[in-house]
Amino acid sequence: LFSTYLTPDNPDVETLFNSISDNVTIVKDQDGLVLWNMFNINTIGDMTDGEAYQAKMSESDILTIEGELIPYNYPISLTAGWNLLAYLHQNCNDVADMMAPIENELIIIKDENGLVYWTMFNVNSLGNMCPGEGFQLKILNDLTFSYPSGTSSSRLGFDDSYELVERNVHYDKPANTGNNMIIGLPKTSWSVMPAIGDEIAAYDESDRLIGSTVFNGDHIALTVWGDDLTTDTKDGLAIGEKITFKLWNTDMNTESKLVVTKWDQGSDMYTINGISVASNIVLSSETSLDAYKLYQNEPNPFNGTTTIRFYVPESTEVSISVYNMLGEHVSNVTNDIFNAGENSIVFNANDLRQGTYFVRMTTDSFIATKNMNIVK
């Protein structure tokens, strides 16, 4: 997300990005209009003062803009729901100070890294707003917003009433795919409160890490990342895909499954820019090391071959078969004894027609099914 506090001499977005066009994959505005050089498409036209834009880059680069300074208190029209907001001050200021004029209308504001200022849960992982940055914010009603005068803050932006989110130690940082969803885990929702420093991670149905954070003793805003549809590979959550959670106990050095049994808002299904809030979280006695699991085949959809991965906690006989939409058995993938741990099988679907199928894994004590899509 980027913005400018200048009105460009030539506001045409294609002209503005011409100097770095080799490194720009796509530029989008808040209405879904795009500059897409690959297809010679420019539906954005001129940049709008006060609006931010989302750019995907193949490589890092510097965009230079010349023009007339926009007053920091320039009136910006915002609509109910999500907006892309430009930051108009020429120095950094605390997000809480900057959003004060609309604090009763503001639901949430977040930056390109999924850091948030979420007053409902007293969460501020965002800190300062700085020149050149753009932000996504969700508001209750249509309004006109103007930034208040700033104090040229150089501090982190966390006042005494907000908690700084620590860095992960056990879980990696997930990939930033350009779109995300925020999941609220209020401290009142835990059946058993984690210890400060414990880590929480979120996974997609292929067991890919798509979000992680550290418990600091207060409410949590967990950012989970969706699939980047401009790439050929799945690198995040698909719309409607189920999210699962794990907890790393730093004292015991153990990993357990977290289960949200009730949601106050939303659900565990991914939606772009969605907001879900848990109301009851329980720690499963089943850890990641004693659970059977069938992962989503990759790639999916596919043409030719795909890899089917699964996990068994002990050496056991595993049967994996493919069924069509009518429930008819169409192919055997494997029927063999596998050692404990993660295993994988390459499945050749050249004999099957294009369409949707079901992959079913069966053991003496476990049955699981995944959708599989074949394209020709």
Side-chain angles (χ1 to χ4, degrees):
L1 283 169
F2 78 96
S3 67
T4 175
Y5 49 78
L6 301 173
T7 299
D9 292 334
N10 185 340
D12 177 68
V13 68
E14 186 171 0
T15 302
L16 286 170
F17 277 90
N18 185 58
S19 62
I20 61 170
S21 60
D22 289 344
N23 293 328
V24 178
T25 303
I26 193 169
V27 179
K28 298 189 292 185
D29 71 1
Q30 65 184 22
D31 298 315
L33 302 179
V34 301
L35 169 67
W36 204 350
N37 291 328
M38 177 186 294
F39 299 104
N40 198 31
I41 295 174
N42 178 11
T43 55
I44 295 177
D46 291 350
M47 290 182 66
T48 301
D49 289 349
E51 185 175 330
Y53 296 84
Q54 190 173 26
K56 182 181 180 183
M57 307 291 294
S58 58
E59 293 185 17
S60 299
D61 211 331
I62 296 175
L63 176 65
T64 301
I65 298 177
E66 297 180 353
E68 183 179 350
L69 184 67
I70 304 171
Y72 74 84
N73 57 355
Y74 176 84
I76 303 170
S77 295
L78 301 176
T79 58
W82 285 101
N83 299 262
L84 293 181
L85 177 68
Y87 180 67
L88 300 183
H89 278 286
Q90 298 178 61
N91 40 51
C92 296
N93 282 285
D94 182 71
V95 63
D97 295 339
M98 294 294 97
M99 293 295 104
I102 57 171
E103 61 182 357
N104 294 327
E105 292 286 341
L106 179 67
I107 298 173
I108 195 171
I109 183 169
K110 58 184 180 179
D111 70 1
E112 63 183 8
N113 298 310
L115 302 178
V116 304
Y117 173 58
W118 199 359
T119 57
M120 177 181 180
F121 293 110
N122 207 38
V123 172
N124 183 3
S125 58
L126 181 52
N128 281 344
M129 303 175 77
C130 290
E133 295 177 346
F135 299 88
Q136 289 180 283
L137 80 164
K138 188 175 186 181
I139 56 175
L140 294 171
N141 299 293
D142 295 352
L143 56 84
T144 299
F145 168 72
S146 295
Y147 284 101
S149 59
T151 57
S152 301
S153 172
S154 60
R155 60 195 174 96
L156 282 174
F158 301 92
D159 59 35
D160 293 337
S161 64
Y162 289 90
E163 294 292 337
L164 176 63
V165 177
E166 300 177 30
R167 292 184 178 274
N168 295 352
V169 174
H170 179 71
Y171 293 115
D172 292 333
K173 182 179 178 181
N176 182 333
T177 60
N179 66 82
N180 58 55
M181 171 180 175
I182 305 298
I183 296 176
L185 305 175
K187 62 180 180 181
T188 55
S189 64
W190 296 87
S191 58
V192 178
M193 188 77 73
I196 292 176
D198 286 356
E199 298 181 24
I200 296 122
Y203 293 84
D204 67 6
E205 293 180 2
S206 300
D207 213 32
R208 176 188 290 104
L209 181 73
I210 43 83
S212 61
T213 191
V214 178
F215 182 69
N216 59 8
D218 211 329
H219 308 303
I220 288 175
L222 175 61
T223 301
V224 295
W225 294 92
D227 185 29
D228 181 357
L229 298 179
T230 66
T231 64
D232 294 331
T233 59
K234 185 177 182 296
D235 45 20
L237 289 156
I239 295 174
E241 187 171 0
K242 183 179 176 63
I243 306 165
T244 57
F245 306 94
K246 295 178 183 178
L247 175 76
W248 179 260
N249 184 306
T250 55
D251 290 335
M252 302 294 293
N253 202 32
T254 57
E255 185 180 66
S256 301
K257 183 179 180 182
L258 290 182
V259 179
V260 179
T261 60
K262 185 177 180 182
W263 295 90
D264 270 341
Q265 177 181 340
S267 69
D268 56 0
M269 300 296 182
Y270 179 75
T271 58
I272 297 174
N273 288 330
I275 299 175
S276 291
V277 179
S279 63
N280 190 48
I281 307 170
V282 299
L283 185 66
S284 173
S285 59
E286 176 187 273
T287 69
S288 62
L289 297 180
D290 58 19
Y292 290 86
K293 186 153 188 175
L294 172 64
Y295 302 107
Q296 184 66 53
N297 63 291
E298 292 186 330
N300 188 48
F302 70 99
N303 178 14
T305 62
T306 188
T307 299
I308 300 172
R309 296 186 301 118
F310 57 94
Y311 181 92
V312 291
E314 58 186 350
S315 179
T316 188
E317 184 175 355
V318 177
S319 174
I320 298 178
S321 299
V322 177
Y323 298 81
N324 62 20
M325 292 291 288
L326 299 177
E328 299 169 335
H329 180 271
V330 296
S331 182
N332 284 321
V333 179
T334 187
N335 189 5
D336 206 346
I337 295 176
F338 290 86
N339 294 326
E342 184 175 304
N343 298 273
S344 63
I345 297 288
V346 175
F347 174 62
N348 189 319
N350 286 333
D351 294 335
L352 298 180
R353 296 179 179 178
Q354 176 172 308
T356 299
Y357 295 82
F358 299 104
V359 179
R360 179 175 297 168
M361 169 182 167
T362 305
T363 71
D364 287 340
S365 58
F366 176 79
I367 298 176
T369 303
K370 295 288 185 184
N371 286 350
M372 182 175 72
N373 295 297
I374 300 174
V375 294
K376 297 287 188 178

